[in-house]
Amino acid sequence: QGDPVESGGGLVQAGGSLRLSCRCPRIITSVFSSSAWAWYRQAPGKQRELVAQVVGRGSTNYADSVKGRFTIVRDYAKKTVYLQMDSLKSEDTGVYYCYREDASQMGSWGQGTQVTVSS
């Protein structure tokens, strides 16, 4: 299916928005639908942490620090997973990684995309 590929990172001022995208180049619809998807981030000097995930029929889970500001969306038509990030804060700065786990619990990571929020 190929490893996930992220895009959409960049530099934004505090209070602004960004939308990250995650696609697997050769994924078929059935595998896309049955996979669990997640966004993680890693800030400088810190461990990688879960930001948001979508599993099953659409159940979502968010880190407390992003609840109410970030939204994870699974677009079946485009076979793309988005992370809409609003009201960004300087502490949201980091490298954001897309993670996919298939039905047999095999996982794969993307290379990451840098998000920098200036205060």
Side-chain angles (χ1 to χ4, degrees):
Q1 310 297 330
D3 290 334
V5 178
E6 305 95 338
S7 62
L11 173 65
V12 64
Q13 288 188 332
S17 297
L18 280 176
R19 188 178 74 164
L20 306 183
S21 302
C22 174
R23 299 185 70 248
C24 286
R26 297 178 297 279
I27 199 167
I28 58 176
T29 301
S30 60
V31 174
F32 175 84
S33 301
S34 63
S35 295
W37 298 85
W39 286 95
Y40 286 75
R41 70 184 177 193
Q42 188 165 18
K46 295 187 177 181
Q47 289 189 330
R48 193 172 297 189
E49 63 173 352
L50 176 67
V51 175
Q53 64 180 170
V54 57
V55 301
R57 294 182 179 272
S59 296
T60 56
N61 182 44
Y62 296 92
D64 288 342
S65 59
V66 307
K67 283 181 180 176
R69 300 188 298 120
F70 290 13
T71 305
I72 187 169
V73 176
R74 193 166 44 182
D75 186 325
Y76 291 94
K78 296 183 178 180
K79 292 184 284 187
T80 300
V81 178
Y82 299 102
L83 183 68
Q84 177 65 43
M85 307 187 294
D86 299 317
S87 302
L88 283 161
K89 305 176 181 180
S90 57
E91 51 262 45
D92 295 319
T93 294
V95 179
Y96 283 68
Y97 298 90
C98 181
Y99 176 76
R100 184 183 74 85
E101 187 173 285
D102 64 21
S104 62
Q105 298 184 322
M106 291 292 293
S108 56
W109 292 91
Q111 292 297 309
T113 185
Q114 176 70 45
V115 172
T116 302
V117 184
S118 63
S119 57

